[in-house]
Amino acid sequence: MRKIILLLLAVLAVACQKTGITRSKENFGNGWQFKKQDAAWQDINLPHTAQIEPLVVVNQWQGNSFYKKEFDLTPAENEKLFLYFEGVMHEADVTVNGKKAAHHEGGYTPFTVDITDLVAKGKNTVEVKVNNESNPEIPPGKPLSTLDFNYYGGIYRNAYLIRTGKLYITDAVHANVTAGGGVFVHFDDVSENKASGTVKVHLKNEFDKEKEVTARIILKDASGKEEVFESDKVKVQPGSAAELTQQIAVAKPKLWSVTNPELYEVNVRLISGNEELDNYTVKTGIRKIEIKDNGFYLNDEKLFINGTNRHQEYPYIGYALSDEAQYRDAVKIKNAGYDFVRFSHYPHSESFLSACDELGILVMDCISGWQFFGNEKFVQNSYQEIKDMARRDRNHPSVIFWEVSLNESEMTEAYMKKANEILRAELPFKNTYTAGWMDNENYDLFIPARQHGKAPDYWNNYNKGSRKIFIAEYGDWEYYAQNAGFNQTQFANLKEDERTSRQLRGSGEKRLLQQALNFQEAYNSNLKGANTIGHANWLIFDYNRGYSPDIESSGISDIFRLPKFAHYFYQSQRVPHQDLKEPLQSGPMVYIASYWDENSSPDVKVFSNCDEVALYLDGELIAKQKPQRNAFSDALQYPPFEFSLPPYKAGTLKAEGFIKGKKVAEYTVTTPGKAAKIELTADISGKEIDKDKPDTVFIYAKITDEKGTVLHNAATAVTFELEGENAELIGQNPMPAEAGIAAIVLRTEKLNKPITIKASVQGMPQAVLEIK
C-alpha cells in the first residue's frame, strides 16, 4: 500500500505545474566597488577584506569602509527579492537606491534584506557602510587592542540575490521565529533500523488573497533513493505566516558518522492546487548523539572525542576566505587525525560547517566572546546571536554541542540561565547539549581549558554527578605559563622559550619536538579523567591576535597550513583500520620526527599507529621494536616509538611500520645536500580552484637539493611572479623561506584562462607552475 501512495505522490509531483517564478539563489558577489573614507573607489568581488594586512598583524586596521554595486533587474509580477549576506564585520548599514534598507549588528551571523519594494526595472544600486571598530555593545565586545584574536573588516563572506514568489518559505534567521522559520528538520528517534522525526516548514503569504497550501517533502539519500511525504493542507491568510509540520520516518537509514558521513537532501515543495509555489532544499544527516554516565555515544557507539580549535583567518586577507578555502581547512583538520573542531570563539562560515558535514567532523558551535562581559545592549545582542546561530546551523548533523557561553568571561548567573533557556527553546530536544566554560548547573557540559585546573591532575578528578567534562583547550597555556610539564625530564636543560608549545615552524627540530611532546603529555593525561568525554587541543593553525605583536604559534600547522611535527603525532592516534574517502588520509602511517642533519639528536622519535616499527640507517637495521610506554604515553592507544642511534652521520633514515607482522607503511628522511632547485605547488587539498567565483589558495615554494629533499635550514628569499588575468599574488614578496618553504597567497577572481606562477631564487633554475 505504501508503495502505491509513493507512486501516486510521484505522479502528482510530475503533474504539478510550476508558476512563472522559480526560487533562485544567485551569486551577488561580483561587480562591487569599495573604498575607505575619502579614498577612490576600487573594483572588487566578494568575499573581500577591507585591508590587506602584513603577515604579522600589528595595529590591525579599523574604521568605516563603503561598498556599492549597480545591478540590472527586471522584477517579475508577484516576485519577491531578497539580499542575503553571510557575514559583514561587524556593523552594517544597507541602502537600496538611496533608501535605508537594513541595519545589522554582529559580524559572524547572516542577515537578509527584503528589497522587493526598493528596486525598480532597470539599474539599481545597493550600498553598504561597514564598521569594524571596537564596540563594547557588539559581541565579542572586547577592544581589539586587548583581544586574543582579530575582527577583520569588510563584507568578508558571500552575498546572494534570492528570488521567490509571493508565497514562499522564509529564511530561518530572517523570520525570527522561536524553533521555527525556514525548513527545520529533526530526527527524534534514531536507530540502525528506523529513524523518525519531523520537518517543519515556515511560509509566508504576501498575495492579496488566501492560499491553501500543502508541503510535499522528498527525502533523498546519496544513492538517489527517495522517500516522499505530504503534509495536511493549511490556509494562509494574506500578509500572514503559517507553519506546516510533517512527521517523517525512514527505514534502515544511512547514519551520519565520523567515518561514514552520509547526507540526505530534504526538498520541500509548496503546492497550491496544481501549482508549485516554492521549492527549497536543505542538506542534513541522520544520527544519534547521547551523553551517558560513561561517556559520549554516536549512533550507540562510545567515542572519546579527539579534536582541535580553529580560528578562521588566513594570512594577509583576514577572514575573506573562499568557500573552497574553507573546505581545504576542514580537510586539513580531518587529515591531522581529528574528528572534532571547536569554533573558537565565534560562529564560523556556513561553507566550513557544510564541509564538516561532508567530511565527518563533529562541531562545537560557539557564540562570540572572550574575556568580556558588557552592558545590557551587549547582552541582548549576545542573546540574538544565540538565536541566529541556532536557526542557521540546526540542520547540520556535525553540530553536537552548543557553546552558549562567553569564553573565559565573568558571566552573570542571569545571563547563563537565559542563554540556556534561549537555546533550549530553539532546539527543544533531549539530545540538545549546551556547553559552558564555567562549572554551572545551567550547562549540560563543562568545558574548561586544561590550564584552568591545577597541576598535575588538572581535571582528571572532576566529579559533579551527571555533568561531564570536555577539555576545550589544552597543550598551550599550561606550558606557555610554565605551570605544567615540569615533570618532563627533557625540560631540565631547556631555556624558557624552548619549553613552550608556541613554536614557529622554523623554530628548529628540538623545539618542534618539544611542542609535540607537550601536546602528547597533555593528551595522555586527559585520557585518565573518568568523566572526560573528549578534548580539543589549542590549536590547529597559527594565527594573529589583536593584543600581541607576534603570531600565536601553538598551532600544529603554521599560518600557511604547513604542518609541524605535532601534526603527525595526532595523525598517529587514528586507528589504522579506518578507511576514509579521498581527499582524506587514513590507514596505517609512520613518520620520522627528525630532519636528520648535523643539528639532529641521535635519539629519534617515530609517530605511528602500527604495532611495531623497524628503523634503518642507510639500509642497516637499527632496531625493530614496539612503542615506548612511559608517564607521557601510558594511556595512549598508539604511543610513539623512540630509537637511539649512533652519533650522527649523513644518510637516509627509513621507518617501516608493521601490523601483526605485516609491513603496512613506510617513511624515509634523507640528509639534504646543497640547495639546487625549487619545487612549486598549489595547495588544492581535494578542492579544485573555483572557475567562476573568487578563490584563495596557498602557493608553496620548497627549496630542495637535486634529489628533491627539502633543506629545512634554508631561509632563502623566494620571488614569486604571476602571469595571467583575473588573479593576484597577495603577501610578502620576495618571501624568505621558513624551514625551507616559502609561501604566498593566490587569489583568483575567475579562473577562465590558465595562469602561470613562477618562483625564483638567485643561482637556481626558475620554477614554473601552470594553473588551469
Side-chain angles (χ1 to χ4, degrees):
M1 181 66 182
R2 184 170 180 274
K3 290 183 177 178
I4 295 173
I5 293 172
L6 292 177
L7 179 61
L8 178 60
L9 290 173
V11 171
L12 287 172
V14 172
C16 199
Q17 299 296 313
K18 293 186 178 182
T19 65
I21 299 171
T22 302
R23 172 182 287 267
S24 66
K25 185 178 181 180
E26 306 165 19
N27 176 33
F28 200 67
N30 293 334
W32 286 78
Q33 289 186 301
F34 161 82
K35 74 170 185 174
K36 295 176 188 169
Q37 196 81 42
D38 302 323
W41 288 102
Q42 308 168 36
D43 293 334
I44 60 98
N45 297 319
L46 306 182
H48 180 261
T49 185
Q51 175 78 13
I52 298 296
E53 297 284 355
L55 178 61
V56 180
V57 180
V58 181
N59 297 323
Q60 178 224 298
W61 181 85
Q62 292 180 278
N64 289 321
S65 54
F66 303 87
Y67 293 81
K68 71 177 181 180
K69 175 182 169 108
E70 291 186 351
F71 58 105
D72 287 320
L73 274 180
T74 305
E77 186 180 1
N78 296 326
E79 183 177 50
K80 291 289 294 181
L81 296 161
F82 304 92
L83 294 181
Y84 180 79
F85 294 91
E86 288 186 347
V88 180
M89 184 59 64
H90 51 192
E91 188 169 12
D93 287 289
V94 183
T95 60
V96 177
N97 294 330
K99 297 177 182 178
K100 183 176 179 179
H103 174 79
H104 183 260
E105 295 181 358
Y108 299 101
T109 50
F111 63 97
T112 297
V113 185
D114 185 344
I115 63 171
T116 308
D117 296 331
L118 301 175
V119 295
K121 183 178 180 180
K123 287 202 176 295
N124 295 269
T125 302
V126 58
E127 297 176 271
V128 185
K129 178 185 175 183
V130 180
N131 182 276
N132 73 322
E133 293 173 304
S134 300
N135 189 326
E137 296 183 341
I138 301 177
K142 195 176 182 73
L144 182 64
S145 60
T146 57
L147 189 66
D148 193 49
F149 50 95
N150 293 65
Y151 31 87
Y152 302 98
I155 307 180
Y156 73 96
R157 290 180 181 165
N158 298 318
Y160 294 96
L161 172 64
I162 297 173
R163 300 170 183 262
T164 71
K166 280 196 171 183
L167 193 148
Y168 58 94
I169 298 169
T170 62
D171 173 81
V173 175
H174 188 57
N176 201 27
V177 176
T178 301
V183 174
F184 189 0
V185 184
H186 183 77
F187 290 90
D188 300 289
D189 297 307
V190 176
S191 72
E192 61 181 13
N193 293 317
K194 183 180 178 181
S196 60
T198 58
V199 176
K200 292 202 296 185
V201 183
H202 187 259
L203 55 141
K204 191 170 184 181
N205 178 16
E206 295 196 28
F207 284 103
D208 56 6
K209 61 181 178 180
E210 177 186 274
K211 289 283 185 178
E212 187 174 62
V213 184
T214 186
R216 185 165 301 145
I217 300 164
I218 304 171
L219 187 69
K220 183 167 69 173
D221 67 20
S223 72
K225 180 183 176 183
E226 294 184 350
E227 303 272 356
V228 184
F229 308 90
E230 187 139 352
S231 75
D232 293 334
K233 293 179 180 179
V234 63
K235 292 182 179 180
V236 191
Q237 299 303 312
S240 299
E243 186 173 85
L244 293 166
T245 301
Q246 175 63 40
Q247 301 295 318
I248 59 173
V250 182
K252 298 289 183 181
K254 295 181 178 180
L255 299 183
W256 185 95
S257 71
V258 296
T259 52
N260 292 294
E262 297 282 355
L263 294 174
Y264 284 79
E265 280 190 0
V266 182
N267 175 246
V268 179
R269 302 175 185 182
L270 296 184
I271 309 297
S272 180
N274 67 342
E275 288 186 324
E276 180 181 295
L277 300 179
D278 202 1
N279 189 316
Y280 190 96
T281 299
V282 299
K283 280 192 174 183
T284 193
I286 303 173
R287 48 81 173 137
K288 178 182 180 182
I289 59 172
E290 287 182 286
I291 297 178
K292 298 184 179 181
D293 288 343
N294 65 337
F296 174 80
Y297 284 75
L298 177 62
N299 301 330
D300 295 318
E301 293 185 7
K302 188 177 180 181
L303 175 68
F304 184 87
I305 302 169
N306 180 31
T308 190
N309 284 264
R310 174 201 185 233
H311 275 298
Q312 67 178 9
E313 78 166 61
Y314 253 33
Y316 311 121
I317 63 171
Y319 287 166
L321 281 68
S322 64
D323 290 351
E324 291 76 18
Q326 301 280 2
Y327 180 91
R328 296 177 194 120
D329 266 9
V331 167
K332 289 174 174 62
I333 289 170
K334 192 74 172 183
N335 282 343
Y338 299 119
D339 291 324
F340 173 97
V341 61
R342 177 180 178 229
F343 286 4
S344 47
H345 297 292
Y346 40 78
H348 288 209
S349 75
E350 296 172 46
S351 57
F352 183 72
L353 190 51
S354 294
C356 291
D357 290 342
E358 184 180 335
L359 297 171
I361 303 173
L362 302 167
V363 167
M364 181 182 291
D365 218 347
C366 310
I367 59 172
S368 309
W370 188 80
Q371 295 187 3
F372 182 86
F373 190 78
N375 61 17
E376 183 59 25
K377 179 71 179 300
F378 170 91
V379 168
Q380 293 304 317
N381 276 334
S382 182
Y383 290 159
Q384 188 62 49
E385 187 179 52
I386 294 171
K387 297 173 185 177
D388 292 349
M389 179 179 73
R391 294 163 183 168
R392 187 194 75 164
D393 299 343
R394 63 198 180 190
N395 291 325
H396 290 272
S398 56
V399 181
I400 57 170
F401 303 139
W402 302 86
E403 187 178 339
V404 289
S405 167
L406 302 169
N407 187 58
E408 295 184 351
S409 304
E410 292 298 323
M411 301 173 290
T412 64
E413 180 70 23
Y415 174 88
M416 290 186 281
K417 185 174 186 293
K418 184 65 174 179
N420 279 270
E421 287 174 351
I422 289 170
L423 194 281
R424 292 192 173 98
E426 294 292 340
L427 306 171
F429 311 113
K430 63 182 179 181
N431 60 356
T432 297
Y433 295 110
T434 65
W437 86 276
M438 285 184 170
D439 191 5
N440 183 278
E441 65 182 2
N442 287 289
Y443 294 102
D444 300 302
L445 189 62
F446 179 35
I447 56 165
R450 187 170 181 252
Q451 72 265 13
H452 296 157
K454 293 183 180 180
D457 295 322
Y458 295 96
W459 297 105
N460 290 346
N461 299 321
Y462 177 84
N463 188 352
K464 289 290 183 70
S466 61
R467 189 177 305 119
K468 299 301 177 185
I469 189 168
F470 181 96
I471 309 301
E473 300 174 23
Y474 73 88
D476 168 40
W477 188 261
E478 66 267 38
Y479 299 94
Y480 183 74
Q482 300 191 2
N483 63 352
F486 290 107
N487 58 327
Q488 294 183 20
T489 57
Q490 287 87 339
F491 270 3
N493 297 316
L494 290 178
K495 300 174 185 177
E496 287 192 358
D497 58 356
E498 292 175 329
R499 300 179 181 189
T500 174
S501 297
R502 297 187 180 183
Q503 304 293 351
L504 296 167
R505 193 174 52 83
S507 295
E509 181 180 301
K510 182 179 181 181
R511 293 188 180 193
L512 293 181
L513 282 167
Q514 188 63 46
Q515 185 202 47
L517 181 60
N518 290 351
F519 283 125
Q520 175 193 321
E521 181 197 38
Y523 187 126
N524 186 70
S525 172
N526 292 340
L527 291 172
K528 298 175 182 179
N531 287 300
T532 303
I533 66 169
H535 59 188
N537 85 306
W538 190 264
L539 78 166
I540 182 69
F541 307 125
D542 293 350
Y543 67 104
N544 280 285
R545 298 160 292 165
Y547 74 80
S548 185
D550 61 355
I551 288 177
E552 209 281 37
S553 55
S554 57
I556 67 163
S557 291
D558 72 7
I559 198 167
F560 294 103
R561 281 48 175 173
L562 290 163
K564 307 172 190 177
F565 288 163
H567 167 99
Y568 300 98
F569 161 70
Y570 282 101
Q571 196 178 72
S572 73
Q573 298 309 298
R574 173 166 281 155
V575 294
H577 59 264
Q578 196 171 98
D579 185 18
L580 303 176
K581 297 177 182 178
E582 291 186 355
L584 302 181
Q585 300 166 4
S586 58
M589 63 81 65
V590 61
Y591 178 84
I592 303 170
S594 172
Y595 298 147
W596 200 241
D597 59 23
E598 62 272 14
N599 297 315
S600 296
S601 169
D603 297 321
V604 173
K605 183 170 285 188
V606 176
F607 299 125
S608 179
N609 55 8
C610 296
D611 301 336
E612 290 183 293
V613 168
L615 186 68
Y616 298 84
L617 175 58
D618 291 335
E620 182 178 339
L621 180 66
I622 301 298
K624 182 180 181 182
Q625 61 191 49
K626 294 188 179 299
Q628 180 86 13
R629 287 201 178 271
N630 53 34
F632 321 129
S633 61
D634 54 357
L636 295 177
Q637 188 170 1
Y638 302 105
F641 296 75
E642 298 178 12
F643 296 87
S644 295
L645 275 68
Y648 165 78
K649 69 170 185 176
T652 297
L653 293 176
K654 181 174 74 170
E656 295 179 340
F658 295 84
I659 296 179
K660 295 181 180 180
K662 180 182 178 182
K663 178 182 170 182
V664 291
E666 181 179 309
Y667 189 85
T668 61
V669 171
T670 300
T671 306
K674 293 182 179 181
K677 59 183 181 179
I678 307 167
E679 180 183 314
L680 197 56
T681 59
D683 176 30
I684 300 302
S685 290
K687 184 68 71 172
E688 292 296 325
I689 296 176
D690 196 298
K691 296 284 195 294
D692 300 313
K693 295 189 303 181
D695 200 351
T696 40
V697 64
F698 290 114
I699 303 297
Y700 302 138
K702 298 179 180 179
I703 310 299
T704 77
D705 63 13
E706 283 289 354
K707 295 182 179 179
T709 300
V710 174
L711 278 71
H712 293 284
N713 61 355
T716 312
V718 178
T719 299
F720 295 91
E721 300 174 63
L722 170 66
E723 295 179 357
E725 301 175 354
N726 299 323
E728 64 176 323
L729 294 172
I730 302 173
Q732 186 175 339
N733 193 13
M735 179 67 174
E738 181 179 6
I741 306 174
I744 199 165
V745 173
L746 169 69
R747 174 170 166 125
T748 57
E749 301 299 329
K750 187 174 184 180
L751 194 65
N752 51 3
K753 294 181 181 178
I755 60 174
T756 300
I757 304 211
K758 298 179 180 179
S760 304
V761 171
Q762 189 172 3
M764 295 184 200
Q766 187 179 63
V768 179
L769 174 67
E770 186 179 55
I771 296 175
K772 57 183 179 180

